[in-house]
Amino acid sequence: TQYSFKKVFCIKTSQMELFQDVAKPLVDDLIHSKNGLLFTYGVTGSGKTFTMTGSPGQGGLLPRSLDMIFNSVGPYQAKRFVLKTDDKNGMEVQNQVDALLERQKRENQPSVVPKTPSRQRLDPEFADMINPEEACRADGVDEDSSYSVFVSYIEIYNNYIYDLLEDAPYDPIKPKWNGGGTPQRQPNQEFIPPQSKLLREDQNHNMYVAGCTEVEVKSTEEAFEVFWRGQKKRRIANTQLNRESSRSHSVFIIKLAQAPLDADGDNILQDKNQVSVSQLCLVDLAGSERTSRTRAEGSRLREAGNINQSLMTLRTCIEVLRENQMCGTNKMVPYRDSKVTHLFKNYFDGEGKVRMVVCVNPKADDYEETMLVMRFAEMTQEVEVARPVDRPICGLAAGRRQKNQAFKDELSRRLEERGGPVNTESTQSVMHQLLQNLPPLPASEITDPHDDVTLPRLIEVLEKRHKIRQMMTQEYNRAADMLKSMLQELDSSLVSKENLIQGQRGQLGEKDKTLHSQKTEIDRLEKKSKMLEYKVNTMK
């Protein structure tokens, strides 16, 4: 039997080559405010997880996608909590002060991600997966916007959705656990079943997992840390349920929020309607396997049946889409029959690009399952559904960030020429040195009426501290006066430039009037010439 596909990768294909062809276009669309969905599909043991995750030095599609995102938008990221998710699949915008207060509030609270993640702190299996020379970035990144990256990690097991980043409590009374995320177990205590999450529809008719943990990450290392935590919980699930391989669908969601800068190019525009949100879903499907061949019984039989049922629903949805597309029919697509298809309903309706990587193992025992996988995968590539995505228009001039940075550089240069502090960091360092020179207060308790040493010593220390305080005040006033004079000079230079521009505009206006009058005269002469030619022809 022969099957035809858009691209076939041989056994010697590197992870980098696969990423360039399959996932890089999806990441590029994500950065340009378009959604994407990527499946890995195949028989159990065919290499789906290795394709998605990879190994040290051979990072798969997921780590390379994260690395490309942060290489592209890293210099333009907003500060933490300036953009934050709400509970309804939307995005909120906070000003700098509120974001700073929330950062200080959460510093002392336990979080999903450590405060200072690094590759050395990661599990060796997930550290250093990408060589620096293989790093890539997207072209055409909007520099007049700020970006924030949010990640979430869920698994769909027995048609229930579990949050792998959620810290679930434990209960020693209930002995069972059905595969969700849990914290570390205390001695002689069992896990309780984690709460299954519900699917909801937001105001834009997009499906999302209600109550799912979304973590804001600022680097590839931080995102790796989140993924590693989720993977660890999936391994715990496999160990608890004595599973040789993962029998659940895992979904790693990368959400990118893009907010335009204000007219000054310094802060984010405080309008949540201008925030553009796009997401990339990386799905590692459970292995396709016939229940008759597994010889499973009881809960294992039900588990395999649920996996095959969800994969069958995915196949049915794509077949109905294909029939609607090729025959012009309008059959209802059974999205709600499975959590996998229901979650990605918007993608099948055209809300982004969908790609599937089919993993094949040439094992003789998997022959019949492989044939079904190949037949289904060949049929899916005939389905093409897409619709345009409307981005919000802020209506501000381009190049705002560069102009603001040029203004700051010019101000720092002039301050440096006049001998002042180059920036606020140098001023803070001077103040820090003065504070370090403050003498400590001596013991001021007087127990002896004839003590003539304590009080003079205290007066001397207070006088020194008062002098240092005066020096700090003078330093602040000097820096403020210098900054004020520089701003006045820049303001006057801007005014003179504006006057010059106005004069040039006036001259251009006069030239336009002259050109208009000359054009009118040319038209009059052309009409007169035509009239004379007509008279000449008449006389001839």
Side-chain angles (χ1 to χ4, degrees):
T1 306
Q2 293 184 352
Y3 298 96
S4 300
F5 296 95
K6 293 180 180 178
K7 188 75 180 273
V8 179
F9 300 94
C10 67
I11 195 171
K12 296 181 180 180
T13 302
S14 66
Q15 294 277 23
M16 184 63 185
E17 294 172 351
L18 182 66
F19 171 77
Q20 291 280 351
D21 284 337
V22 177
K24 187 177 179 180
L26 295 180
V27 178
D28 193 68
D29 286 346
L30 175 74
I31 295 172
H32 293 89
S33 302
K34 297 178 183 178
N35 296 331
L37 173 62
L38 176 61
F39 288 107
T40 55
Y41 177 62
V43 182
T44 300
S46 58
K48 300 183 298 299
T49 303
F50 177 76
T51 302
M52 185 66 73
T53 307
S55 61
Q58 302 181 47
L61 300 179
L62 189 148
R64 291 182 187 275
S65 299
L66 289 171
D67 195 57
M68 179 177 174
I69 291 171
F70 286 105
N71 288 339
S72 304
V73 305
Y76 314 115
Q77 288 192 83
K79 292 185 178 179
R80 203 180 294 270
F81 302 125
V82 172
L83 294 172
K84 56 180 296 188
T85 57
D86 56 16
D87 296 331
K88 300 178 181 178
N89 202 34
M91 197 68 59
E92 295 178 350
V93 183
Q94 292 193 130
N95 55 40
Q96 297 286 348
V97 177
D98 293 338
L100 176 62
L101 292 175
E102 187 162 355
R103 285 197 297 272
Q104 293 176 348
K105 178 182 177 182
R106 299 200 182 189
E107 276 182 357
N108 298 324
Q109 295 180 356
S111 59
V112 176
V113 182
K115 296 179 181 178
T116 56
S118 63
R119 291 184 183 270
Q120 286 72 26
R121 295 188 56 178
L122 294 176
D123 190 295
E125 187 171 344
F126 300 108
D128 299 322
M129 304 190 81
I130 303 171
N131 297 325
E133 58 270 14
E134 295 180 351
C136 58
R137 56 176 51 86
D139 297 327
V141 179
D142 186 7
E143 297 182 2
D144 293 321
S145 297
S146 287
Y147 300 85
S148 290
V149 182
F150 301 86
V151 296
S152 54
Y153 198 15
I154 63 173
E155 72 170 356
I156 302 175
Y157 174 67
N158 280 343
N159 212 28
Y160 291 101
I161 300 176
Y162 298 106
D163 186 0
L164 291 174
L165 303 181
E166 182 181 41
D167 289 331
Y170 56 84
D171 189 342
I173 299 176
K174 298 180 180 180
K176 293 182 179 180
W177 179 49
N178 58 354
T182 62
Q184 292 184 354
R185 180 170 54 175
Q186 299 281 335
N188 301 323
Q189 290 179 326
E190 298 291 341
F191 295 106
I192 66 167
Q195 186 68 35
S196 176
K197 302 296 180 182
L198 300 177
L199 287 178
R200 298 193 185 278
E201 193 175 53
D202 63 10
Q203 59 181 359
N204 297 322
H205 306 292
N206 295 321
M207 302 305 300
Y208 70 99
V209 181
C212 181
T213 305
E214 291 183 305
V215 183
E216 184 178 6
V217 289
K218 293 298 179 185
S219 65
T220 309
E221 290 79 16
E222 216 173 332
F224 278 166
E225 183 73 16
V226 176
F227 177 71
W228 174 72
R229 285 176 61 92
Q231 283 291 94
K232 188 175 181 180
K233 290 187 178 181
R234 291 193 74 200
R235 289 178 176 178
I236 293 175
N238 293 337
T239 303
Q240 291 287 320
L241 299 175
N242 297 320
R243 301 189 302 217
E244 296 180 0
S245 63
S246 179
R247 307 302 295 156
S248 62
H249 312 296
S250 70
V251 183
F252 191 79
I253 303 173
I254 307 170
K255 186 178 290 186
L256 181 67
Q258 177 180 352
L261 298 177
D262 56 14
D264 296 331
D266 197 15
N267 297 312
I268 291 178
L269 197 64
Q270 297 292 310
D271 184 5
K272 67 178 183 179
N273 295 323
Q274 295 292 334
V275 179
S276 175
V277 181
S278 54
Q279 68 178 19
L280 173 62
C281 299
L282 303 174
V283 185
D284 183 9
L285 293 173
S288 173
E289 197 171 15
R290 287 179 303 162
T291 55
S292 59
R293 193 187 136 209
T294 59
R295 299 178 182 177
E297 298 179 357
S299 61
R300 292 294 174 276
L301 182 63
R302 185 175 66 254
E303 177 187 272
N306 287 330
I307 292 170
N308 291 337
Q309 180 64 34
S310 64
L311 295 175
M312 183 62 67
T313 304
L314 176 63
R315 176 175 181 170
T316 304
C317 291
I318 293 180
E319 286 178 346
V320 174
L321 283 172
R322 176 171 174 262
E323 184 179 351
N324 290 341
Q325 177 180 302
M326 299 183 67
C327 303
T329 57
N330 193 20
K331 289 186 177 181
M332 187 184 71
V333 185
Y335 298 118
R336 294 178 178 270
D337 292 353
S338 170
K339 289 291 194 304
V340 175
T341 54
H342 196 192
L343 176 61
F344 302 120
K345 177 180 83 71
N346 307 101
Y347 291 93
F348 295 117
D349 285 343
E351 192 75 27
K353 189 180 295 182
V354 182
R355 289 197 170 182
M356 179 180 289
V357 179
V358 183
C359 300
V360 178
N361 184 358
K363 187 178 178 182
D365 294 342
D366 296 336
Y367 172 75
E368 294 187 7
E369 285 81 2
T370 302
M371 293 283 285
L372 294 173
V373 167
M374 299 281 277
R375 191 180 309 154
F376 167 58
E378 185 184 36
M379 179 265 299
T380 59
Q381 63 187 344
E382 299 178 6
V383 180
E384 293 182 2
V385 183
R387 62 186 181 197
V389 179
D390 296 329
R391 289 187 57 186
I393 301 174
C394 63
L396 298 175
R400 303 186 297 279
R401 186 190 292 269
Q402 291 183 355
K403 291 179 181 178
N404 182 46
Q405 187 61 40
F407 171 77
K408 291 181 179 178
D409 294 341
E410 178 68 16
L411 183 62
S412 299
R413 185 183 64 80
R414 295 199 179 187
L415 283 173
E416 188 177 9
E417 288 176 355
R418 297 186 58 168
V422 178
N423 50 33
T424 55
E425 293 181 359
S426 59
T427 305
Q428 291 175 358
S429 64
V430 172
M431 297 303 164
H432 182 70
Q433 291 177 1
L434 291 173
L435 287 172
Q436 292 292 331
N437 293 329
L438 281 175
L441 290 173
S444 58
E445 185 178 357
I446 300 177
T447 57
D448 187 2
H450 302 287
D451 187 359
D452 297 332
V453 178
T454 303
L455 193 58
R457 186 185 301 167
L458 180 61
I459 293 173
E460 182 183 0
V461 171
L462 290 175
E463 286 178 349
K464 288 182 179 179
R465 293 173 70 95
H466 181 65
K467 288 180 180 179
I468 293 176
R469 181 181 177 183
Q470 288 180 336
M471 291 172 60
M472 293 175 65
T473 305
Q474 292 174 1
E475 181 68 24
Y476 265 120
N477 292 335
R478 187 178 69 84
D481 292 340
M482 188 171 295
L483 183 61
K484 185 177 180 181
S485 62
M486 293 301 302
L487 289 174
Q488 289 176 350
E489 289 180 8
L490 287 174
D491 191 30
S492 61
S493 63
L494 288 174
V495 170
S496 62
K497 287 181 181 179
E498 287 180 358
N499 293 334
L500 180 61
I501 291 172
Q502 290 293 338
Q504 292 177 350
R505 285 180 179 174
Q507 293 177 4
L508 290 174
E510 293 177 0
K511 290 181 179 179
D512 287 339
K513 291 180 181 179
T514 304
L515 289 173
H516 182 69
S517 61
Q518 290 177 353
K519 186 178 180 181
T520 305
E521 182 65 18
I522 290 172
D523 292 339
R524 187 185 66 80
L525 292 174
E526 286 180 350
K527 289 180 181 178
K528 186 176 180 180
S529 174
K530 289 180 181 180
M531 182 65 68
L532 290 174
E533 288 178 358
Y534 175 74
K535 288 182 179 181
V536 168
N537 292 331
T538 304
M539 295 194 63
K540 283 183 178 179

